[in-house]
Amino acid sequence: MNNSKHPKGLYLIFATSTAERFSYYGMRAIFILFLTQALLFDTEKAASIYGSYTGLVYLTPLIGGYVADKYWGIRRSVFWGAMLMAIGQFLMFFSASMLDAQELSHGLMYGGLTFLILGNGFFKPTVSSLVGQLYEPGDRRLDSAYTIFYMGVNVGSFLAPLVCGYFGETGNPQDFKWGFLIAAIVTVFTVVLFETQKNRYLIGPDGQQLGVVPDARKATEGTSAKTQTPEDARRKRRNLWVCSAMAIVLALFFYWCFGNDWISIGIFTACIVFPASILMDGSLTKIERDRILVIYIIAFFVIFFWAAYEQAGASLTLFASEQTDRVILGWEMPASWIQSFNPFFVVILAAIMPGVWGALARRGMEPASPTKQAIGLLLLSLGYLVICFGVKDVQPGVKVSLIWLTGLYFIHTMGEIALSPIGLSMVNKLTPVRFASLMMGIWYLSTATANKFAGTLSGLYPEAGKVKTLLGYRIETMFDFFLVFVVMSAAASLVLFLLSKKLQKMMHGVE
């Protein structure tokens, strides 16, 4: 067997993820502009809707991962996830086609978001965990495989804003519908591609078809069924009561913090209760529990990364639209196209980074996974520091050069490559197989929290005549706004660097 080559199934997953991410990022590229320019929401309301949508998109993988692990299996989850997302994109198309009927248009928009959220929940964690199942445990190609998978994600992310932005962001609010329609058609293509090719290519190292049997059932095959003792039953009841009480207390606390913002309350409560419930599972050994704790600790720091990084779809798009000089040789670039900068850089850097980690590994200098995550956070902070220089002392009404946003996205991409694919690989390596998709859902739960937090932070985007504050810090200019992300990311990076050695010990030999 040639261990240098990847299984062909990886490239089917690559193509499927490319198409699905095209759909998601095509819609996202024009979404905040659709809310502000077609539905005429103010910046704060639009940012709140954006944050709730992207937050829930990453919360539902927790439910989808559970259903896939316990009942459906991965293949069925991928199919139904893509189908629900296709319906959601078509509803967004109809919403943008009926702007004159405001109430109907708003209702269709919320309906479309609901289907997109549910569909993404079934699709996202299952496809990610499928990558790891193509390889034997301990296969050193896994980090490289997740980087290739990540490159596929970003090919779709690169093309989507260019295509959907070109047809959707024309200056005429009536044209947003064409961007949503293209995203819908590509989602249908995702379903066709996966369904026609899955039996041929999704084969595990043992020659068996992958994703047919739910992972939880597969983990218990060949072992004798364990009779549930009265002690097991008591433990389950106790855990249920503890989790219920924890959920009520946290919901009340977050209600005190956020008022009637039930989406924030739900996401932040779930972010604590679901991870705690897995740690209470009586089947976990001490080593398994330590490794899961490592995932949780790093996931906490990842929240700060994505909360700053996901400004790309909200405040940074508004900044590109309103305060960035996008004229190149007399042609004005659509603001949505700037969202293609990051995935363009990812595709380039994702081809380089495995070689960099490999070269460092050969010299015994490759950083451990927690250290790579801390490096990612530090680079994120530096990206915002660059744009702080760009906007400092700029007078109101003066647009800044496109070079500043380009620099920010390039540095952020280096941070993303150090953090995100390594994180996916780490979750796969540290998680017991019976929790494979569920733990991928938990990992994305941190991103759900981050995205909702990102929407809240986007609401601080400076507006004429308004002074906004964060923990007493006044935000009146773009410099004030971007400085929030410089400080937040740098502080998180420093703490994670300090914890890295301890986290390595808790990984118990997993690299």
Side-chain angles (χ1 to χ4, degrees), residues 137-171:
D139 194 319
R140 294 192 67 87
R141 294 175 296 169
L142 195 57
D143 274 3
S144 168
Y146 269 108
T147 302
I148 291 170
F149 166 73
Y150 207 68
M151 188 159 53
V153 166
N154 282 278
V155 168
S157 308
F158 167 68
L159 294 173
L162 300 180
V163 177
C164 295
Y166 178 80
F167 290 101
E169 189 202 344
T170 63

Side-chain angles (χ1 to χ4, degrees), residues 121-404:
F122 288 118
F123 189 97
K124 196 171 188 67
T126 48
V127 169
S128 300
S129 62
L130 197 57
V131 174
Q133 296 183 25
L134 291 166
Y135 299 85
E136 295 279 5
D139 194 319
R140 294 192 67 87
R141 294 175 296 169
L142 195 57
D143 274 3
S144 168
Y146 269 108
T147 302
I148 291 170
F149 166 73
Y150 207 68
M151 188 159 53
V153 166
N154 282 278
V155 168
S157 308
F158 167 68
L159 294 173
L162 300 180
V163 177
C164 295
Y166 178 80
F167 290 101
E169 189 202 344
T170 63
N172 179 1
Q174 301 291 333
D175 287 340
F176 281 112
K177 62 177 179 286
W178 302 122
F180 296 133
L181 181 62
I182 291 166
I185 292 168
V186 173
T187 311
V188 173
F189 171 75
T190 304
V191 178
V192 174
L193 175 69
F194 186 81
E195 288 299 303
T196 56
Q197 302 299 317
K198 62 186 181 183
N199 291 333
R200 184 176 179 185
Y201 293 114
L202 293 183
I203 299 170
D206 58 357
Q208 298 296 310
Q209 293 280 329
L210 292 177
V212 179
V213 179
D215 287 331
R217 194 187 309 165
K218 186 167 60 179
T220 57
E221 282 179 356
T223 62
S224 56
K226 182 183 174 184
T227 304
Q228 182 170 314
T229 65
E231 177 60 30
D232 290 333
R234 281 195 296 273
R235 184 188 295 113
K236 282 189 175 180
R237 284 196 299 272
R238 183 199 66 198
N239 290 350
L240 181 60
W241 280 108
V242 169
C243 289
S244 299
M246 189 187 305
I248 291 168
V249 170
L250 287 168
L252 290 171
F253 171 72
F254 290 128
Y255 178 79
W256 176 72
C257 293
F258 303 111
N260 289 324
D261 186 352
W262 293 105
I263 293 177
S264 290
I265 293 168
I267 290 174
F268 295 143
T269 300
C271 182
I272 298 172
V273 173
F274 280 107
S277 70
I278 290 182
L279 284 178
M280 293 178 189
D281 191 293
S283 69
L284 289 174
T285 65
K286 181 185 183 305
I287 288 177
E288 287 176 337
R289 190 170 277 108
D290 279 354
R291 287 173 174 169
I292 287 174
L293 272 172
V294 171
I295 295 173
Y296 290 174
I297 291 166
I298 291 180
F300 172 76
F301 289 96
V302 166
I303 289 172
F304 296 100
F305 181 90
W306 292 118
Y309 183 91
E310 281 297 326
Q311 297 303 309
S315 65
L316 288 175
T317 296
L318 292 173
F319 179 73
S321 177
E322 300 167 2
Q323 302 190 48
T324 302
D325 181 2
R326 293 173 279 112
V327 176
I328 302 170
L329 301 176
W331 168 74
E332 186 171 41
M333 177 190 297
S336 55
W337 280 30
I338 294 176
Q339 289 191 45
S340 284
F341 287 11
N342 164 252
F344 172 73
F345 292 140
V346 167
V347 171
I348 295 170
L349 291 173
I352 297 171
M353 288 305 290
V356 173
W357 298 136
L360 289 172
R362 287 192 293 274
R363 292 167 174 76
M365 296 170 60
E366 183 180 8
S369 292
T371 306
K372 290 177 182 175
Q373 312 271 301
I375 291 169
L377 274 161
L378 180 60
L379 288 166
L380 187 79
S381 178
L382 291 175
Y384 276 109
L385 187 61
V386 164
I387 206 163
C388 276
F389 286 117
V391 299
K392 187 171 173 58
D393 300 325
V394 171
Q395 298 302 311
V398 176
K399 294 189 174 185
V400 302
S401 169
L402 184 59
I403 195 69
W404 297 108

Side-chain angles (χ1 to χ4, degrees), residues 30-211:
I30 57 176
F31 184 43
I32 196 82
L33 301 173
F34 173 65
L35 292 176
T36 54
Q37 296 175 14
L39 299 185
L40 303 179
F41 290 122
D42 64 29
T43 300
E44 205 158 337
K45 173 73 170 174
S48 177
I49 293 171
Y50 175 86
S52 296
Y53 164 62
T54 54
L56 289 172
V57 154
Y58 286 96
L59 175 64
T60 49
L62 189 65
I63 302 165
Y66 179 81
V67 171
D69 278 347
K70 293 286 187 181
Y71 305 110
W72 275 9
I74 287 175
R75 295 188 181 198
R76 196 179 299 175
S77 291
V78 169
F79 172 77
W80 285 109
M83 287 295 291
L84 289 169
M85 287 188 289
I87 294 170
Q89 297 286 17
F90 279 115
L91 287 175
M92 293 298 296
F93 165 72
F94 290 124
S95 170
S97 301
M98 301 178 181
L99 296 177
D100 293 335
Q102 187 181 75
E103 193 170 329
L104 177 59
S105 180
H106 287 193
L108 287 167
M109 184 267 290
Y110 286 119
L113 295 183
T114 301
F115 275 95
L116 287 167
I117 288 162
L118 292 173
N120 195 82
F122 288 118
F123 189 97
K124 196 171 188 67
T126 48
V127 169
S128 300
S129 62
L130 197 57
V131 174
Q133 296 183 25
L134 291 166
Y135 299 85
E136 295 279 5
D139 194 319
R140 294 192 67 87
R141 294 175 296 169
L142 195 57
D143 274 3
S144 168
Y146 269 108
T147 302
I148 291 170
F149 166 73
Y150 207 68
M151 188 159 53
V153 166
N154 282 278
V155 168
S157 308
F158 167 68
L159 294 173
L162 300 180
V163 177
C164 295
Y166 178 80
F167 290 101
E169 189 202 344
T170 63
N172 179 1
Q174 301 291 333
D175 287 340
F176 281 112
K177 62 177 179 286
W178 302 122
F180 296 133
L181 181 62
I182 291 166
I185 292 168
V186 173
T187 311
V188 173
F189 171 75
T190 304
V191 178
V192 174
L193 175 69
F194 186 81
E195 288 299 303
T196 56
Q197 302 299 317
K198 62 186 181 183
N199 291 333
R200 184 176 179 185
Y201 293 114
L202 293 183
I203 299 170
D206 58 357
Q208 298 296 310
Q209 293 280 329
L210 292 177

